[in-house]
Amino acid sequence: MKDFLEKRDKGKLLIQRSRRLKQNLLRPMQLSVTEDGYIHYGDKVMLVNPDDPDTEADVFLRGDLSLCMTPDEIQSHLKDELEVPCGLSAVQAKTPIGRNTFIILSVHRDA
């Protein structure tokens, strides 16, 4: 019981980690708005593939597909932060959330 209470107080219980993970992945995000039409370091963007009505519905997922991260389920419950790099997939979602919003970073950390 002591071990349980200690983990609960530190937020280390599996249910607490799972709840935090869902909150981070599903939290609403605000995309960047560009004034000059270009993407800049630090911008928050979504990558969307628009639907192509000419493709066969049996072969491809239909609709506008956005790129989203698919973190390793076990690792995400064991660590406090998501492991990068992680898997990617596409979903039929156009609402910016933590899972499908990406921040443009520079290879050089000082840029």
Side-chain angles (χ1 to χ4, degrees):
M1 185 61 133
K2 182 180 177 184
D3 185 45
F4 170 81
L5 294 174
E6 185 178 315
K7 284 185 177 182
R8 184 191 69 183
D9 292 341
K10 292 181 179 179
K12 303 244 181 216
L13 293 176
L14 182 59
I15 189 69
Q16 292 170 314
R17 289 177 182 263
S18 178
R19 194 172 293 143
R20 272 196 309 272
L21 176 65
K22 287 180 184 176
Q23 286 174 343
N24 285 335
L25 292 177
L26 301 177
R27 75 181 183 277
M29 297 293 289
Q30 182 68 39
L31 298 178
S32 299
V33 178
T34 179
E35 299 291 326
D36 59 4
Y38 295 102
I39 296 176
H40 304 277
Y41 295 127
D43 283 354
K44 294 178 184 175
V45 300
M46 263 180 70
L47 301 173
V48 178
N49 184 43
D51 186 27
D52 184 6
D54 295 334
T55 59
E56 298 177 25
D58 297 345
V59 180
F60 298 102
L61 187 60
R62 299 302 304 225
D64 296 337
L65 302 174
S66 67
L67 186 69
C68 66
M69 56 187 284
T70 308
D72 181 80
E73 187 173 351
I74 294 172
Q75 290 299 321
S76 61
H77 285 104
L78 295 176
K79 298 181 180 181
D80 289 331
E81 294 185 10
L82 293 175
E83 195 171 275
V84 178
C86 68
L88 297 172
S89 62
V91 296
Q92 292 176 322
K94 292 188 278 185
T95 304
I97 57 175
R99 184 178 178 204
N100 65 4
T101 301
F102 298 90
I103 299 174
I104 305 298
L105 300 175
S106 171
V107 174
H108 308 289
R109 297 195 186 267
D110 57 343

